[in-house]
């Protein structure tokens, strides 16, 4: 078993049994579901909107070269410097070069999963830069030295008390545990950083080809300030984030908000087309856009799973996933958790090491059903399973074959079938005597689950009674 | 070959294979967007009501003022109630004259400013490009609202708008931006929907995470 697989197995077993954790996540998700469903009804035709969004992304991804070329040409025409990073290391190097050229000391960041993907923070901190994550959830994660728990809500697994403790320990600041007070404390701390920072680094939600702009979605205003105050602004963006037209935002911004947080529209949806232009009051003197490939062209080359590049990182598939809800975001050991993470991580980081994530699914299809851009997530998990087992495909092991043969015999003979049902009922009773002990054959299963009792009456018995 | 060429070569090669799944071809028309998107009513009155309702749901303050005199009076009331000491604005003629009339220490961002001082301002008063009924959104740009920081750094953002700036929906706002600025886009275009907020602590909404704690929209009737 690969190291990531061992971690996943160990962590998910632990988390699934952690009732407190499950309660926190459950409460948060139920709140999310309620507001999300109200917002979906606000649309005249939500399913129609998903079709249009999927169509738009299909067009964008399948003409990626054209749209990317157009985006770059236009954003460069306003004085933006565009950089190309083939992999994570090149991405970090480009950003380090900018930091060195600007003689930077303090860096302020707004939320960017792509920067997590290339482990930018750790690298900057190791190189001696002072780095501040300005998004509240990310800030809390940074203070605790944890990875974001969730694409959209990095700190959703924490209670206010835990956050209060973190602030007290790491910032030496005490306050009550009210979310209001905790938020205001973070606001005060971060304000100083905005004013000090030499360079601001942001992520991006969309890159618009038609107008040559980056679009950033956020609620807190931290990205707005990150892009307003430091003299140099850097945006790190995956090459797949292009949208063809400015008007496409009219569809995607509300859909992202509804799926991400259940809002109609996120507080700030801002487009950046360059550094400060002549006649403007403020803004950075330099604007750098770093376009990152890092195996995205590999996903593009997979004709079956190309649609995964349309992902808008709304986090909806995590929220509805029964596996995510039970094992939590950290068990995956990946930057991108949940169904989308399970699908793309084997592509981004190697199938051999990460194929176990294809099994982190009940294949219920809830993810596919909710995805606003209609990515066929659960089928992609099946395809990854197939790809991982390709060399031995069609050759099940001896015991597996035997088990299915026996099952076929039983299932094909009515008398045997009903005998087996009766025997199982007896077995259930006997199991009660050894419940959970070494002699209990079901103990691996029942350690974290309840074994539902077999019905007192089978369907056939029930039917017979009524036919008489 | 440069890294740019490498990446483009990989993209072109990848795209030689046809994607398995298809979601239909070509880009949807704006009319198709409108058929699925949230409804916005037909008349201006309906849309004004929609904007007002959305704004109040977002915990923004939305008020009509009859004329410039009433606008000035409204600002005076706000200034007194919140005990403004310092204000910031830009060279937009209405925002500028109204802010100056308050008689406070004032920063005008277009003339250059010190960011620490802007941070101390109690209020940023700006104009805007449009109000969007569908979502209760205020559209500002670095041209119309005095740069990037003014509408985000002071703890209260006051927007002076005009009734004629109301647009029905997001597609209309997008096409307005394209018409107004095409060829000379501002470096920042921001769709502001309510005051800054966060739900990162137990999903409980707190206003004023990093941006303004309050958003007030004063809309001139004439
Ligand atoms: S795969 Fe779909 S549902 Fe999941 S994060 Fe991406 S866009 Fe959202």
């Amino acid at each position: 078993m690969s190291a990531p697989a061992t971690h996943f197995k160990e962590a998910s077993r632990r988390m699934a049994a952690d009732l407190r954790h499950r309660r926190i996540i459950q409460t948060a998700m139920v709140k999310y579901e309620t507001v999300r469903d109200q917002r979906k009804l606000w649309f005249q035709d939500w399913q129609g909107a998903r079709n249009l969004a999927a169509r738009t992304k299909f067009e964008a991804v399948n003409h990626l070269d054209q749209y990317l070329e157009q985006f770059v040409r236009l954003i460069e025409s306003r004085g933006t410097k565009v950089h190309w990073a083939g992999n994570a290391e090149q991405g970090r190097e480009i950003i380090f070069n900018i930091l060195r050229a600007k003689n930077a000391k303090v860096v302020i960041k707004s939320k960017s999963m792509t920067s997590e993907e290339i482990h930018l923070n750790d690298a900057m901190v190791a190189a001696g830069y002072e780095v501040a994550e300005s998004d509240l959830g990310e800030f809390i994660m940074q203070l605790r030295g944890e990875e974001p728990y969730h694409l959209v809500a990095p700190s959703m697994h924490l209670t206010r008390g835990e956050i209060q403790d973190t602030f007290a320990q790491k910032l030496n600041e005490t306050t009550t545990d009210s979310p209001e007070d905790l938020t205001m404390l973070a606001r005060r701390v971060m304000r100083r950083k905005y004013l000090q920072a030499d360079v601001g680094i942001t992520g991006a939600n969309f890159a618009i080809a038609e107008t040559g702009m980056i679009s950033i979605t956020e609620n807190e205003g931290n990205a707005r300030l990150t892009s307003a105050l430091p003299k140099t602004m850097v945006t790190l963006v995956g090459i797949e984030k292009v949208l063809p037209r400015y008007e496409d935002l009219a569809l995607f911004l509300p859909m992202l908000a509804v799926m991400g947080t259940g809002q109609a529209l996120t507080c700030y949806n801002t487009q950046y087309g360059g550094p400060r232009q002549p006649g403007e009051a403020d803004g950075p003197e330099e604007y750098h856009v770093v376009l990152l490939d890092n195996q995205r062209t590999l996903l593009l080359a997979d004709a079956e799973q190309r649609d995964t590049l349309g992902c808008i990182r709304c986090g909806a598939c995590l929220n509805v996933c029964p596996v995510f809800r039970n094992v939590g975001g950290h068990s995956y050991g990946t930057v991108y958790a949940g169904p989308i993470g399970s699908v793309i991580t084997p592509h981004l980081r190697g199938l051999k090491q990460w194929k176990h994530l294809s099994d982190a699914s009940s294949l219920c299809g809830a993810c596919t059903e909710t995805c606003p851009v209609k990515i066929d997530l659960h089928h992609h998990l099946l395809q990854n399973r197939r790809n991982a087992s390709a060399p031995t495909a069609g050759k099940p092991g001896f015991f597996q074959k035997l088990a299915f043969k026996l099952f076929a015999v039983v299932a094909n003979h009515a008398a045997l079938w009903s005998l087996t049902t009766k025997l199982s009922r007896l077995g259930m009773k006997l199991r009660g005597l050894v419940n959970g002990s070494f002699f209990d054959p079901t103990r691996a299963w029942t350690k974290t689950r309840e074994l539902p009792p077999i019905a007192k009456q089978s369907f056939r018995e029930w039917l017979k009674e009524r036919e008489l | 070959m440069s890294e740019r060429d490498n990446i483009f070569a990989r993209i072109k090669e990848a795209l030689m294979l046809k994607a398995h799944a298809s979601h239909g071809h070509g880009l949807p028309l704006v009319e198709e967007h409108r058929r699925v998107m949230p409804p916005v009513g037909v008349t201006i009155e309906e849309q004004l009501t929609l904007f007002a309702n959305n704004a109040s749901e977002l915990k923004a303050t939305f008020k009509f003022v009859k004329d410039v005199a009433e606008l000035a009076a409204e600002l005076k009331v706000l200034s007194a109630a919140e005990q403004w000491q310092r204000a910031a604005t830009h060279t937009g003629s209405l925002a500028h004259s109204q802010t100056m009339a308050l008689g406070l220490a004032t920063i005008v961002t277009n003339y250059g400013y010190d960011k620490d001082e802007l941070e101390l301002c109690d209020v940023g008063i700006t104009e805007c490009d449009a109000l969007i009924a569908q979502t209760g959104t205020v559209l500002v740009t670095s041209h119309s609202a005095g740069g990037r920081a003014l509408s985000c750094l002071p703890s209260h953002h006051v927007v002076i708008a005009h009734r004629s700036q109301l647009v029905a929906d997001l597609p209309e706002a997008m096409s307005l931006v394209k018409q107004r600025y095409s060829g000379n886009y501002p470096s920042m275009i921001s769709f502001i929907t309510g005051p800054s907020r966060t739900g990162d602590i137990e999903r409980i909404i707190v206003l004023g995470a990093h941006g303004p704690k309050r958003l007030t929209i004063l809309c001139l009737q004439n």
Side-chain angles (χ1 to χ4, degrees), chain A residues 71 114 203-204 206-207 214 235-241 289-292:
Chain A
F71 163 75
T114 315
F206 305 101
I214 286 291
T235 296
L236 176 66
V237 53
I239 52 170
E240 83 286 13
K241 288 271 159 77
V289 169
V290 183
L291 285 162
L292 180 75

Side-chain angles (χ1 to χ4, degrees), chain B:
Chain B
M1 273 214 306
S2 69
E3 200 50 44
R4 176 192 205 275
D5 296 339
N6 287 336
I7 292 175
F8 269 108
R10 288 201 289 269
I11 295 175
K12 291 217 167 82
E13 197 192 317
L15 288 179
M16 296 212 299
L17 276 174
K18 246 178 86 93
H20 285 197
S22 169
H23 292 288
H25 287 282
L27 292 166
L29 304 170
V30 169
E31 284 63 48
E32 291 179 79
H33 283 176
R34 287 210 164 102
R35 273 202 293 275
V36 300
M37 297 288 294
V40 287
V42 188
T43 64
I44 295 283
E45 296 311 319
E46 275 175 326
Q47 288 166 2
L48 277 173
T49 314
L50 181 59
F51 185 91
N53 290 343
N54 280 330
S56 96
E57 196 194 319
L58 291 161
K59 307 221 160 50
T61 311
F62 176 67
K63 258 196 182 149
F64 277 116
V65 284
K66 265 210 315 287
D67 48 24
V68 176
E70 209 178 294
L71 172 65
E74 195 60 50
L75 284 169
K76 280 246 156 60
V77 171
L78 275 175
S79 175
E82 296 190 352
Q83 301 178 355
W84 294 345
Q85 307 281 325
R86 298 184 187 82
T89 186
H90 58 108
T91 45
S93 59
L94 195 55
H96 187 259
S97 59
Q98 291 293 317
T99 312
M100 287 308 172
L102 293 172
L104 307 168
T106 302
I107 291 176
V108 181
T109 54
N110 307 70
Y111 299 158
Y113 66 90
D114 180 290
K115 29 188 194 180
D116 294 83
E117 277 175 30
L118 184 63
E119 205 269 327
L120 291 174
C121 287
D122 304 296
V123 63
I125 302 178
T126 76
E127 297 175 9
C128 67
D129 284 89
L131 304 178
I132 305 163
Q134 191 171 39
T135 48
T137 301
V138 181
L139 173 62
V140 302
T141 64
S142 38
H143 285 191
S144 66
R148 297 191 184 194
L150 177 59
S151 55
C152 202
L153 196 57
S155 61
H156 189 165
H157 179 201
V158 176
V159 180
I160 300 176
H162 198 276
R163 189 189 145 109
S164 64
Q165 288 180 312
L166 184 85
V167 300
D169 58 12
L170 288 163
E172 195 178 338
M174 310 281 169
S175 75
L176 177 138
V177 169
K178 285 189 354 190
Q179 276 166 21
R180 185 168 296 168
Y181 296 113
S182 178
N184 183 28
Y185 284 112
S187 72
M188 184 207 77
I189 302 164
S190 195
F191 292 77
I192 301 177
T193 311
S196 153
R197 66 195 58 208
T198 185
D200 276 348
I201 302 174
E202 293 186 5
R203 276 189 181 270
I204 292 164
I205 301 297
V206 176
L207 297 185
H210 294 287
K213 297 175 186 172
R214 285 197 64 189
L215 174 67
T216 302
I217 303 147
L218 300 174
C219 184
L220 278 160
Q221 287 275 28
N222 301 305

Side-chain angles (χ1 to χ4, degrees), chain A residues 82-215:
Chain A
V82 174
H83 307 261
W84 299 84
N87 54 38
E89 196 191 326
Q90 286 175 18
R92 289 193 300 266
E93 205 40 51
I94 289 166
I95 291 172
F96 274 121
N97 282 337
I98 299 168
L99 296 180
R100 279 193 288 265
K102 297 287 114 193
N103 211 352
K105 289 184 185 65
V106 183
V107 178
I108 187 124
K109 277 192 70 223
S110 68
K111 191 168 159 37
S112 156
M113 290 309 289
T114 315
S115 79
E116 303 284 342
E117 182 187 322
I118 67 167
H119 301 290
L120 182 62
N121 274 16
D122 293 346
M124 288 195 295
V125 170
Y129 294 101
E130 188 187 329
V131 182
E133 283 285 356
S134 56
D135 173 87
L136 178 57
E138 294 283 349
F139 178 51
I140 297 166
M141 290 298 95
Q142 190 192 16
L143 291 177
R144 294 173 64 92
E146 283 178 35
E147 303 281 325
Y149 180 92
H150 182 284
L151 283 178
V152 176
S155 60
M156 73 178 298
H157 60 303
L158 298 177
T159 61
R160 59 182 86 187
E162 287 167 306
I163 296 167
Q164 180 191 25
D165 291 346
T166 303
F167 282 179
Q169 279 165 24
K170 305 281 170 171
L171 298 173
N172 242 332
E173 303 241 22
T174 45
T175 166
T176 73
D177 70 352
S178 86
E180 169 99 33
D181 283 350
L182 291 166
T183 304
M184 288 311 131
L185 171 57
R187 177 185 168 107
R188 261 198 330 273
V189 171
M190 211 45 74
R191 286 259 156 164
R192 267 175 264 141
K193 306 276 183 203
Y194 290 119
L195 298 169
Q196 288 166 3
D198 308 296
V199 174
I201 301 180
T202 77
N205 296 89
F206 305 101
I208 301 136
E210 185 192 25
T211 54
M213 292 171 190
I214 286 291
S215 187

Side-chain angles (χ1 to χ4, degrees), chain A residues 158 170 199 269-270 310 428 448 463:
Chain A
L158 298 177
K170 305 281 170 171
V199 174
N269 284 286
T270 311
M428 280 294 274
T448 51
L463 190 66

Side-chain angles (χ1 to χ4, degrees), chain A residues 259-281:
Chain A
M259 285 284 104
T261 53
Q263 288 170 282
L265 205 57
T266 317
C267 236
Y268 300 99
N269 284 286
T270 311
Q271 291 84 55
Y272 298 97
R276 176 185 189 173
Q277 301 293 294
E280 290 186 340

Side-chain angles (χ1 to χ4, degrees), chain A residues 151 310-318 340 367 370-373 375 377:
Chain A
L151 283 178
C311 172
I312 57 173
R313 305 277 188 259
C314 68
C317 58
L318 284 63
I340 184 66
C367 47
T370 201
C371 177
V373 291
I375 298 172
L377 291 157

